[in-house]
Amino acid sequence: MTADQKTGTYKLANPGKTEAGLTYKQPAWTQYKIGKTIADTTAYKDATFSVDKVGTRTREGDTWVHVVNQNTADTKADGWILLSNLTQTNAFNEQSQVKVVVKDTDGKTIKEFNYTAPSAKGKDSDVTSDFYTTTGTGANASTDFNSDFGKAVQAQVSGTGYTIAGTDTVNQSAKVLTGSTLNLVARKGDTVSMKVQPWAVSATPDQAGTHLTLKTNTNPAADATNYNTVVTAGATMTTPFSGVATQTYTSADLVKNLTANKLNTLTSVKYAKVVTGTGDAAKTTYVSPDTADTTPGVVKDGDHVQLFQTVYTLSGGVPGTFAKDGIAQALYTANEVKTTASATNPDAGNGSLFG
């Protein structure tokens, strides 16, 4: 695949029921009885596609590409199509654009994009001022990216863990012309470790609800009413949740780290429940297991106070960006169970990495 194909955005040139507008399970006529993926692409006249595979039919010598809908929720039209039956919507325009290639210090391409120069007047126009601004004179002169171009560059590398400085001389070009390529060098950020906080999942899926705090000598307090959110862990976090500053992380990244640290399950301290009010006005508090059986509203098993625990199971995390002194939120799903005074919980204790 060419660089343009990797970064290109395409539309169907001939949407409809004709061969030129259809996609195929394999390039047409290359495999017996393997045909169209869809019989009518009219509904996809405004859809945008990306190319993820390229092939050439040996006999015909034409180029076919495999396209995928950028709306990943609808893949019915994904398939092979003749390249000439696509229109590239972000094709490079040498009359008004400069191709920007961002590489790391090892020469690996990180990003490529086409930047439209506002002052362009055709191919080979000098548009340096659209890319750089110089302040001061002589020994005090300082060059940096033009504000708009700088924002465009940072948007491209956002979440990759790389940074680009227009003040870095390797990223400064004496002259930039439309139709040319501007090469920039990005540098990897510093590796940072983030504290992970456990949270109970809220009513909104994949969102944090209540912060779960670790049991300590002073937590929970004797008169606390949130014993169900004070937890113990059976393992100590030894492998920090780390990544390159400004690089994004996913829910799966958090789950992988906590699974490796054996922090899939947290268990609350034991508690009694006191229910006051009725109907919509009913309220439950989660109190000390030493609560007297004569306490109004305390939940009992016969003549004795019934004790409970909540078991929290790791179910995901809130996606975010690695940052120095940042905090990641791990999500746990709650399940309340009955317990007894004699039951014991593992409590490995945790330091600055988790809790």
Coordinates of all heavy atoms in Angstrom, one line a residue, residues 2-86:
T2 N 0.4 2.2 -0.8 CA 1.2 3.5 -0.8 C 0.8 4.3 0.5 O -0.2 4.0 1.2 CB 0.8 4.3 -2.0 OG1 -0.6 4.7 -1.9 CG2 1.0 3.5 -3.3
A3 N 1.6 5.3 0.8 CA 1.3 6.2 1.9 C -0.1 6.8 1.8 O -0.8 7.0 2.7 CB 2.4 7.2 2.1
D4 N -0.4 7.3 0.5 CA -1.7 7.9 0.3 C -2.9 6.9 0.5 O -3.9 7.3 1.1 CB -1.8 8.5 -1.1 CG -1.1 9.8 -1.2 OD1 -0.9 10.5 -0.2 OD2 -0.9 10.3 -2.4
Q5 N -2.7 5.7 0.2 CA -3.7 4.7 0.4 C -3.9 4.4 1.8 O -5.0 4.2 2.3 CB -3.3 3.4 -0.4 CG -3.5 3.5 -1.9 CD -2.9 2.4 -2.7 OE1 -2.1 1.6 -2.1 NE2 -3.2 2.3 -3.9
K6 N -2.8 4.4 2.6 CA -2.9 4.1 4.0 C -3.7 5.2 4.8 O -4.4 5.0 5.7 CB -1.5 4.0 4.6 CG -0.8 2.7 4.3 CD 0.6 2.7 4.9 CE 1.4 1.5 4.5 NZ 2.8 1.5 5.1
T7 N -3.5 6.5 4.3 CA -4.1 7.6 5.0 C -5.3 8.1 4.3 O -6.0 9.1 4.7 CB -3.1 8.7 5.2 OG1 -2.6 9.2 3.9 CG2 -1.9 8.3 6.0
G8 N -5.7 7.6 3.1 CA -6.7 8.1 2.3 C -8.1 7.8 2.8 O -8.4 6.9 3.5
T9 N -9.0 8.7 2.4 CA -10.4 8.6 2.7 C -11.1 8.6 1.4 O -10.9 9.4 0.5 CB -11.0 9.8 3.6 OG1 -10.3 9.8 4.8 CG2 -12.5 9.6 3.8
Y10 N -12.0 7.6 1.2 CA -12.6 7.3 -0.2 C -14.1 7.3 -0.1 O -14.7 6.9 0.9 CB -12.1 6.0 -0.7 CG -10.6 6.0 -0.9 CD1 -9.7 5.6 0.1 CD2 -10.0 6.3 -2.2 CE1 -8.3 5.6 -0.1 CE2 -8.6 6.2 -2.4 CZ -7.8 5.9 -1.3 OH -6.5 5.8 -1.5
K11 N -14.7 7.6 -1.3 CA -16.1 7.4 -1.5 C -16.3 6.6 -2.7 O -15.5 6.5 -3.6 CB -16.9 8.7 -1.6 CG -17.1 9.5 -0.3 CD -18.0 10.7 -0.5 CE -18.3 11.4 0.8 NZ -19.3 12.5 0.7
L12 N -17.5 5.9 -2.8 CA -17.8 5.1 -4.0 C -18.1 6.1 -5.1 O -18.9 7.0 -5.0 CB -19.0 4.2 -3.7 CG -18.9 3.2 -2.6 CD1 -20.2 2.5 -2.4 CD2 -17.8 2.2 -2.9
A13 N -17.4 5.9 -6.3 CA -17.6 6.8 -7.4 C -18.9 6.6 -8.1 O -19.5 7.5 -8.7 CB -16.5 6.7 -8.4
N14 N -19.4 5.3 -8.0 CA -20.6 4.9 -8.8 C -21.6 4.1 -7.9 O -21.9 3.0 -8.2 CB -20.3 4.1 -10.0 CG -19.2 4.8 -10.9 OD1 -19.5 5.8 -11.6 ND2 -18.0 4.3 -10.8
P15 N -22.0 4.7 -6.8 CA -22.9 3.9 -5.9 C -24.2 3.5 -6.6 O -24.7 4.2 -7.5 CB -23.2 4.9 -4.8 CG -23.0 6.2 -5.3 CD -21.9 6.1 -6.3
G16 N -24.6 2.3 -6.4 CA -25.8 1.7 -7.0 C -25.7 0.2 -7.2 O -25.1 -0.5 -6.4
K17 N -26.3 -0.3 -8.3 CA -26.4 -1.7 -8.5 C -25.5 -2.2 -9.6 O -25.4 -3.4 -9.9 CB -27.9 -2.1 -8.9 CG -28.9 -1.7 -7.8 CD -30.3 -2.1 -8.2 CE -31.3 -1.8 -7.1 NZ -32.7 -2.2 -7.5
T18 N -24.8 -1.2 -10.3 CA -23.9 -1.7 -11.4 C -22.6 -2.3 -10.8 O -22.3 -2.0 -9.7 CB -23.6 -0.5 -12.3 OG1 -22.8 0.5 -11.5 CG2 -24.8 0.2 -12.8
E19 N -21.9 -3.0 -11.7 CA -20.6 -3.6 -11.2 C -19.7 -2.6 -10.7 O -18.9 -2.8 -9.7 CB -20.0 -4.4 -12.4 CG -20.7 -5.7 -12.7 CD -19.9 -6.5 -13.7 OE1 -18.7 -6.1 -14.0 OE2 -20.4 -7.5 -14.2
A20 N -19.7 -1.4 -11.3 CA -18.7 -0.4 -10.9 C -19.0 0.2 -9.5 O -18.1 0.8 -8.9 CB -18.7 0.8 -11.9
G21 N -20.2 -0.1 -9.0 CA -20.6 0.5 -7.7 C -20.6 -0.5 -6.6 O -20.9 -0.2 -5.4
L22 N -20.3 -1.8 -6.9 CA -20.5 -2.9 -5.9 C -19.1 -3.3 -5.3 O -18.1 -3.0 -5.9 CB -21.1 -4.1 -6.6 CG -22.5 -3.9 -7.2 CD1 -23.0 -5.2 -7.8 CD2 -23.5 -3.3 -6.2
T23 N -19.2 -3.9 -4.2 CA -18.0 -4.5 -3.6 C -18.1 -6.0 -3.6 O -19.2 -6.5 -3.6 CB -17.8 -4.0 -2.1 OG1 -19.0 -4.3 -1.4 CG2 -17.5 -2.5 -2.1
Y24 N -17.0 -6.7 -3.6 CA -16.9 -8.1 -3.7 C -16.2 -8.8 -2.6 O -15.3 -8.2 -1.9 CB -16.3 -8.4 -5.1 CG -17.0 -7.9 -6.3 CD1 -17.0 -6.6 -6.7 CD2 -17.9 -8.8 -7.0 CE1 -17.7 -6.1 -7.8 CE2 -18.6 -8.3 -8.1 CZ -18.5 -7.0 -8.5 OH -19.2 -6.5 -9.5
K25 N -16.5 -10.0 -2.3 CA -15.9 -10.8 -1.3 C -14.4 -11.1 -1.6 O -13.6 -11.2 -0.7 CB -16.6 -12.1 -1.1 CG -18.0 -11.9 -0.6 CD -18.8 -13.3 -0.4 CE -20.2 -13.0 0.0 NZ -21.0 -14.3 0.1
Q26 N -14.1 -11.1 -2.9 CA -12.7 -11.2 -3.4 C -12.7 -10.4 -4.7 O -13.8 -10.1 -5.3 CB -12.3 -12.7 -3.7 CG -12.2 -13.5 -2.5 CD -11.0 -13.1 -1.6 OE1 -10.1 -12.5 -2.1 NE2 -11.0 -13.5 -0.4
P27 N -11.6 -9.9 -5.2 CA -11.6 -9.2 -6.5 C -12.4 -10.0 -7.5 O -12.2 -11.3 -7.6 CB -10.1 -9.1 -6.8 CG -9.4 -9.1 -5.5 CD -10.2 -10.0 -4.6
A28 N -13.2 -9.3 -8.3 CA -14.1 -10.0 -9.2 C -13.5 -11.0 -10.1 O -12.4 -10.7 -10.7 CB -14.9 -9.0 -10.0
W29 N -14.1 -12.2 -10.3 CA -13.7 -13.3 -11.2 C -12.3 -13.9 -10.8 O -11.7 -14.5 -11.7 CB -13.6 -12.8 -12.6 CG -14.8 -11.9 -13.0 CD1 -14.8 -10.6 -13.3 CD2 -16.2 -12.4 -13.0 NE1 -16.1 -10.2 -13.6 CE2 -17.0 -11.2 -13.4 CE3 -16.8 -13.6 -12.8 CZ2 -18.3 -11.3 -13.5 CZ3 -18.2 -13.6 -12.9 CH2 -19.0 -12.5 -13.3
T30 N -11.9 -13.7 -9.6 CA -10.6 -14.4 -9.2 C -10.8 -15.7 -8.5 O -9.9 -16.5 -8.4 CB -9.8 -13.5 -8.3 OG1 -10.6 -13.2 -7.1 CG2 -9.4 -12.2 -9.0
Q31 N -12.0 -15.9 -7.9 CA -12.4 -17.2 -7.3 C -13.7 -17.6 -7.7 O -14.7 -16.8 -7.7 CB -12.3 -17.1 -5.7 CG -10.8 -16.9 -5.2 CD -10.7 -17.0 -3.7 OE1 -11.4 -17.9 -3.2 NE2 -9.9 -16.2 -3.1
Y32 N -13.9 -18.9 -8.0 CA -15.1 -19.5 -8.5 C -16.2 -19.4 -7.5 O -16.0 -19.7 -6.3 CB -14.9 -20.9 -8.9 CG -16.1 -21.6 -9.5 CD1 -16.7 -21.1 -10.6 CD2 -16.6 -22.8 -8.9 CE1 -17.8 -21.8 -11.2 CE2 -17.7 -23.4 -9.5 CZ -18.3 -22.9 -10.6 OH -19.4 -23.6 -11.2
K33 N -17.4 -18.9 -7.9 CA -18.6 -18.8 -7.1 C -18.4 -17.9 -5.8 O -19.2 -18.0 -4.9 CB -19.1 -20.2 -6.6 CG -19.7 -21.0 -7.8 CD -20.3 -22.3 -7.3 CE -21.0 -23.0 -8.4 NZ -21.6 -24.3 -7.9
I34 N -17.5 -17.0 -5.8 CA -17.3 -16.0 -4.7 C -17.6 -14.7 -5.4 O -16.8 -14.2 -6.2 CB -16.0 -16.1 -4.1 CG1 -15.7 -17.4 -3.4 CG2 -15.8 -14.9 -3.1 CD1 -14.4 -17.5 -2.7
G35 N -18.7 -14.1 -5.0 CA -19.2 -12.9 -5.7 C -19.3 -11.6 -4.8 O -18.5 -11.3 -4.0
K36 N -20.5 -10.9 -5.0 CA -20.7 -9.6 -4.4 C -20.9 -9.7 -2.9 O -21.4 -10.7 -2.3 CB -21.9 -9.0 -5.0 CG -21.9 -8.8 -6.5 CD -23.2 -8.4 -7.0 CE -24.2 -9.5 -7.1 NZ -25.4 -9.2 -7.8
T37 N -20.5 -8.7 -2.2 CA -20.8 -8.6 -0.7 C -22.1 -7.9 -0.5 O -22.8 -8.1 0.5 CB -19.7 -7.8 0.0 OG1 -19.6 -6.5 -0.6 CG2 -18.4 -8.5 -0.1
I38 N -22.5 -7.1 -1.5 CA -23.8 -6.4 -1.4 C -24.3 -6.1 -2.8 O -23.5 -5.9 -3.7 CB -23.6 -5.1 -0.6 CG1 -24.9 -4.4 -0.2 CG2 -22.7 -4.1 -1.3 CD1 -24.8 -3.3 0.8
A39 N -25.6 -6.2 -3.0 CA -26.2 -6.1 -4.3 C -26.5 -4.6 -4.7 O -26.7 -4.4 -5.9 CB -27.5 -6.9 -4.4
D40 N -26.6 -3.7 -3.8 CA -26.9 -2.3 -4.1 C -26.2 -1.4 -3.0 O -26.4 -1.6 -1.8 CB -28.4 -2.2 -4.0 CG -28.9 -0.8 -4.4 OD1 -28.0 0.1 -4.7 OD2 -30.1 -0.5 -4.5
T41 N -25.4 -0.5 -3.5 CA -24.7 0.4 -2.6 C -25.2 1.8 -2.6 O -24.6 2.7 -2.1 CB -23.2 0.4 -3.0 OG1 -23.1 0.9 -4.4 CG2 -22.5 -0.9 -2.8
T42 N -26.4 1.9 -3.1 CA -27.0 3.3 -3.1 C -27.0 3.9 -1.7 O -26.8 5.1 -1.6 CB -28.5 3.2 -3.7 OG1 -28.4 2.6 -5.0 CG2 -29.1 4.6 -3.7
A43 N -27.3 3.1 -0.7 CA -27.4 3.7 0.7 C -26.1 4.2 1.2 O -26.0 4.8 2.2 CB -28.0 2.6 1.6
Y44 N -25.0 3.8 0.4 CA -23.6 4.2 0.9 C -23.0 5.3 0.0 O -21.8 5.5 0.0 CB -22.7 3.0 0.9 CG -23.2 1.9 1.8 CD1 -24.1 0.9 1.4 CD2 -22.8 1.9 3.1 CE1 -24.6 0.0 2.3 CE2 -23.2 0.9 4.0 CZ -24.1 0.0 3.6 OH -24.6 -1.0 4.5
K45 N -23.9 6.1 -0.6 CA -23.4 7.1 -1.5 C -22.6 8.2 -0.8 O -21.7 8.9 -1.3 CB -24.5 7.8 -2.3 CG -25.6 8.5 -1.5 CD -26.7 9.0 -2.4 CE -27.8 9.6 -1.6 NZ -27.3 10.9 -0.9
D46 N -22.9 8.4 0.5 CA -22.3 9.4 1.3 C -21.3 8.8 2.3 O -20.6 9.6 3.1 CB -23.3 10.3 2.1 CG -24.2 11.1 1.2 OD1 -23.7 11.6 0.2 OD2 -25.4 11.2 1.4
A47 N -21.1 7.5 2.3 CA -20.2 6.8 3.3 C -18.8 7.1 2.9 O -18.4 7.2 1.7 CB -20.5 5.4 3.3
T48 N -17.9 7.1 3.9 CA -16.5 7.2 3.6 C -15.8 5.9 4.0 O -16.2 5.3 5.0 CB -15.9 8.4 4.4 OG1 -16.2 8.3 5.8 CG2 -16.4 9.7 3.9
F49 N -14.8 5.5 3.2 CA -14.2 4.2 3.4 C -12.6 4.4 3.5 O -12.1 5.4 3.0 CB -14.4 3.3 2.2 CG -15.9 2.9 2.1 CD1 -16.8 3.7 1.4 CD2 -16.3 1.7 2.6 CE1 -18.1 3.3 1.3 CE2 -17.6 1.3 2.5 CZ -18.5 2.1 1.8
S50 N -12.0 3.5 4.2 CA -10.5 3.4 4.3 C -10.1 2.2 3.6 O -10.9 1.2 3.5 CB -10.1 3.4 5.7 OG -10.4 4.5 6.4
V51 N -8.9 2.2 3.1 CA -8.3 1.0 2.4 C -7.4 0.3 3.3 O -6.5 0.9 4.0 CB -7.5 1.4 1.1 CG1 -6.7 0.3 0.5 CG2 -8.5 2.0 0.1
D52 N -7.6 -1.1 3.5 CA -6.7 -1.8 4.3 C -5.9 -2.9 3.6 O -5.0 -3.6 4.2 CB -7.5 -2.4 5.5 CG -8.5 -3.4 5.1 OD1 -8.8 -3.6 3.9 OD2 -9.1 -4.0 6.0
K53 N -6.3 -3.2 2.3 CA -5.6 -4.2 1.5 C -5.5 -3.8 0.1 O -6.5 -3.1 -0.4 CB -6.2 -5.6 1.6 CG -6.3 -6.2 3.0 CD -7.1 -7.5 3.0 CE -7.3 -8.0 4.4 NZ -8.2 -9.2 4.4
V54 N -4.5 -4.2 -0.6 CA -4.4 -3.9 -2.1 C -4.0 -5.1 -2.8 O -3.2 -5.9 -2.3 CB -3.3 -2.8 -2.3 CG1 -3.2 -2.5 -3.8 CG2 -3.7 -1.5 -1.6
G55 N -4.6 -5.3 -4.0 CA -4.2 -6.5 -4.8 C -4.3 -6.2 -6.3 O -5.0 -5.2 -6.7
T56 N -3.6 -7.0 -7.1 CA -3.6 -6.8 -8.5 C -4.0 -8.1 -9.2 O -3.5 -9.2 -8.9 CB -2.2 -6.4 -9.1 OG1 -1.8 -5.2 -8.4 CG2 -2.2 -6.2 -10.6
R57 N -5.0 -8.0 -10.1 CA -5.4 -9.2 -10.8 C -4.4 -9.5 -11.9 O -4.0 -8.6 -12.7 CB -6.8 -9.0 -11.5 CG -7.9 -8.9 -10.4 CD -9.3 -9.0 -11.1 NE -9.6 -8.0 -12.1 CZ -10.7 -7.9 -12.7 NH1 -11.7 -8.7 -12.5 NH2 -10.9 -7.0 -13.6
T58 N -3.9 -10.7 -11.9 CA -2.7 -11.1 -12.7 C -3.1 -10.9 -14.2 O -2.3 -10.3 -15.0 CB -2.3 -12.5 -12.5 OG1 -2.0 -12.7 -11.1 CG2 -1.1 -12.9 -13.3
R59 N -4.2 -11.5 -14.6 CA -4.5 -11.4 -16.1 C -4.9 -10.0 -16.6 O -4.4 -9.6 -17.6 CB -5.7 -12.4 -16.4 CG -6.1 -12.5 -17.9 CD -7.2 -13.5 -18.1 NE -8.4 -13.1 -17.4 CZ -9.5 -13.9 -17.3 NH1 -9.5 -15.1 -17.9 NH2 -10.6 -13.5 -16.7
E60 N -5.7 -9.3 -15.8 CA -6.1 -8.0 -16.2 C -5.1 -6.9 -15.9 O -5.1 -5.9 -16.5 CB -7.5 -7.6 -15.5 CG -8.6 -8.5 -16.0 CD -8.7 -9.8 -15.2 OE1 -7.8 -10.1 -14.4 OE2 -9.7 -10.5 -15.3
G61 N -4.3 -7.1 -14.8 CA -3.3 -6.1 -14.4 C -3.9 -4.9 -13.7 O -3.2 -3.9 -13.6
D62 N -5.1 -5.0 -13.3 CA -5.8 -3.8 -12.6 C -5.6 -3.9 -11.1 O -5.4 -5.0 -10.6 CB -7.2 -3.7 -13.1 CG -8.0 -4.9 -12.9 OD1 -7.5 -5.9 -12.3 OD2 -9.2 -5.0 -13.5
T63 N -5.8 -2.8 -10.5 CA -5.6 -2.8 -9.0 C -7.0 -2.8 -8.3 O -7.8 -2.0 -8.6 CB -4.8 -1.5 -8.6 OG1 -3.6 -1.5 -9.3 CG2 -4.7 -1.4 -7.1
W64 N -7.1 -3.7 -7.3 CA -8.3 -3.8 -6.5 C -7.9 -3.5 -5.1 O -6.7 -3.8 -4.6 CB -8.9 -5.2 -6.6 CG -9.6 -5.4 -7.9 CD1 -9.1 -5.5 -9.1 CD2 -11.0 -5.5 -8.0 NE1 -10.1 -5.7 -10.1 CE2 -11.3 -5.7 -9.4 CE3 -12.1 -5.5 -7.1 CZ2 -12.6 -5.9 -9.9 CZ3 -13.4 -5.7 -7.6 CH2 -13.6 -5.9 -9.0
V65 N -8.8 -2.8 -4.3 CA -8.5 -2.5 -2.9 C -9.6 -3.0 -2.1 O -10.8 -3.1 -2.5 CB -8.3 -1.0 -2.7 CG1 -7.0 -0.5 -3.4 CG2 -9.5 -0.2 -3.2
H66 N -9.3 -3.4 -0.9 CA -10.3 -3.8 0.1 C -10.7 -2.6 1.0 O -9.8 -2.0 1.6 CB -9.8 -5.0 1.0 CG -10.9 -5.5 1.9 ND1 -11.1 -5.0 3.2 CD2 -11.8 -6.5 1.7 CE1 -12.1 -5.7 3.7 NE2 -12.5 -6.6 2.9
V67 N -11.9 -2.2 1.0 CA -12.3 -1.0 1.7 C -13.2 -1.4 2.9 O -13.9 -2.4 2.9 CB -13.2 -0.1 0.8 CG1 -12.3 0.5 -0.3 CG2 -14.4 -0.8 0.2
V68 N -13.1 -0.6 4.0 CA -13.9 -0.7 5.2 C -14.5 0.6 5.5 O -13.9 1.7 5.4 CB -13.0 -1.2 6.4 CG1 -12.5 -2.6 6.2 CG2 -11.8 -0.3 6.6
N69 N -15.8 0.5 5.9 CA -16.6 1.7 6.2 C -16.0 2.4 7.5 O -15.7 1.7 8.5 CB -18.0 1.3 6.5 CG -19.0 2.5 6.5 OD1 -18.5 3.6 6.6 ND2 -20.2 2.2 6.3
Q70 N -15.7 3.7 7.4 CA -15.2 4.4 8.6 C -16.3 4.4 9.7 O -15.9 4.7 10.9 CB -14.7 5.7 8.2 CG -13.5 5.7 7.3 CD -12.9 7.0 7.0 OE1 -13.6 8.0 7.0 NE2 -11.6 7.1 6.7
N71 N -17.5 4.2 9.4 CA -18.5 4.0 10.4 C -18.5 2.5 10.7 O -19.2 1.7 10.0 CB -19.9 4.4 9.9 CG -21.0 4.1 10.8 OD1 -20.8 3.7 12.0 ND2 -22.3 4.1 10.4
T72 N -17.8 2.1 11.7 CA -17.5 0.7 12.0 C -18.8 -0.1 12.4 O -18.7 -1.3 12.5 CB -16.4 0.5 13.0 OG1 -16.8 1.3 14.2 CG2 -15.1 1.1 12.5
A73 N -19.8 0.7 12.7 CA -21.1 0.0 13.1 C -21.8 -0.6 11.9 O -22.7 -1.4 12.1 CB -22.0 1.0 13.9
D74 N -21.4 -0.2 10.7 CA -22.1 -0.7 9.5 C -21.0 -1.2 8.5 O -20.3 -0.5 7.8 CB -22.9 0.4 8.8 CG -23.7 -0.1 7.6 OD1 -23.6 -1.2 7.3 OD2 -24.5 0.7 7.1
T75 N -20.9 -2.5 8.5 CA -19.8 -3.2 7.6 C -20.4 -3.9 6.4 O -19.6 -4.7 5.8 CB -19.0 -4.1 8.5 OG1 -19.8 -5.2 9.0 CG2 -18.3 -3.4 9.7
K76 N -21.7 -3.7 6.1 CA -22.3 -4.5 5.1 C -21.6 -4.3 3.7 O -21.6 -5.2 2.9 CB -23.8 -4.2 5.0 CG -24.6 -4.7 6.2 CD -26.0 -4.3 6.1 CE -26.8 -4.6 7.4 NZ -28.2 -4.2 7.3
A77 N -21.1 -3.1 3.5 CA -20.5 -2.8 2.1 C -19.0 -3.0 2.1 O -18.4 -2.8 1.1 CB -20.9 -1.4 1.7
D78 N -18.4 -3.4 3.2 CA -17.0 -3.7 3.2 C -16.6 -4.8 2.2 O -17.3 -5.8 2.1 CB -16.5 -4.1 4.6 CG -16.6 -3.0 5.6 OD1 -17.2 -1.9 5.3 OD2 -16.2 -3.2 6.8
G79 N -15.6 -4.6 1.4 CA -15.2 -5.6 0.5 C -14.2 -5.1 -0.5 O -13.6 -4.0 -0.4
W80 N -14.0 -5.8 -1.6 CA -13.0 -5.5 -2.6 C -13.7 -4.7 -3.7 O -14.9 -5.0 -4.1 CB -12.4 -6.7 -3.2 CG -11.5 -7.4 -2.3 CD1 -11.8 -8.4 -1.4 CD2 -10.1 -7.2 -2.2 NE1 -10.7 -8.8 -0.7 CE2 -9.6 -8.1 -1.2 CE3 -9.1 -6.4 -2.8 CZ2 -8.2 -8.1 -0.8 CZ3 -7.8 -6.4 -2.4 CH2 -7.4 -7.3 -1.4
I81 N -13.0 -3.7 -4.3 CA -13.5 -2.9 -5.3 C -12.4 -2.4 -6.2 O -11.3 -2.2 -5.7 CB -14.4 -1.7 -4.8 CG1 -15.1 -1.0 -5.9 CG2 -13.5 -0.7 -4.0 CD1 -16.1 0.0 -5.4
L82 N -12.6 -2.2 -7.5 CA -11.6 -1.6 -8.3 C -11.2 -0.2 -7.9 O -12.1 0.6 -7.6 CB -12.1 -1.6 -9.8 CG -11.1 -1.4 -10.9 CD1 -10.2 -2.6 -11.0 CD2 -11.9 -1.3 -12.2
L83 N -9.9 0.0 -7.7 CA -9.5 1.3 -7.2 C -10.0 2.5 -8.0 O -10.4 3.5 -7.5 CB -7.9 1.3 -7.2 CG -7.3 2.6 -6.7 CD1 -7.7 2.9 -5.3 CD2 -5.8 2.6 -6.9
S84 N -10.1 2.3 -9.3 CA -10.6 3.4 -10.2 C -12.1 3.7 -10.0 O -12.6 4.7 -10.5 CB -10.4 3.0 -11.7 OG -11.1 1.8 -12.0
N85 N -12.8 2.8 -9.2 CA -14.2 3.0 -8.9 C -14.4 3.8 -7.6 O -15.5 3.8 -7.0 CB -15.0 1.7 -8.9 CG -15.2 1.2 -10.3 OD1 -15.2 1.9 -11.3 ND2 -15.3 -0.2 -10.4
L86 N -13.3 4.3 -7.0 CA -13.3 5.1 -5.8 C -12.9 6.5 -6.1 O -12.1 6.8 -7.0 CB -12.4 4.5 -4.8 CG -12.7 3.1 -4.2 CD1 -11.6 2.6 -3.3 CD2 -14.1 3.1 -3.5

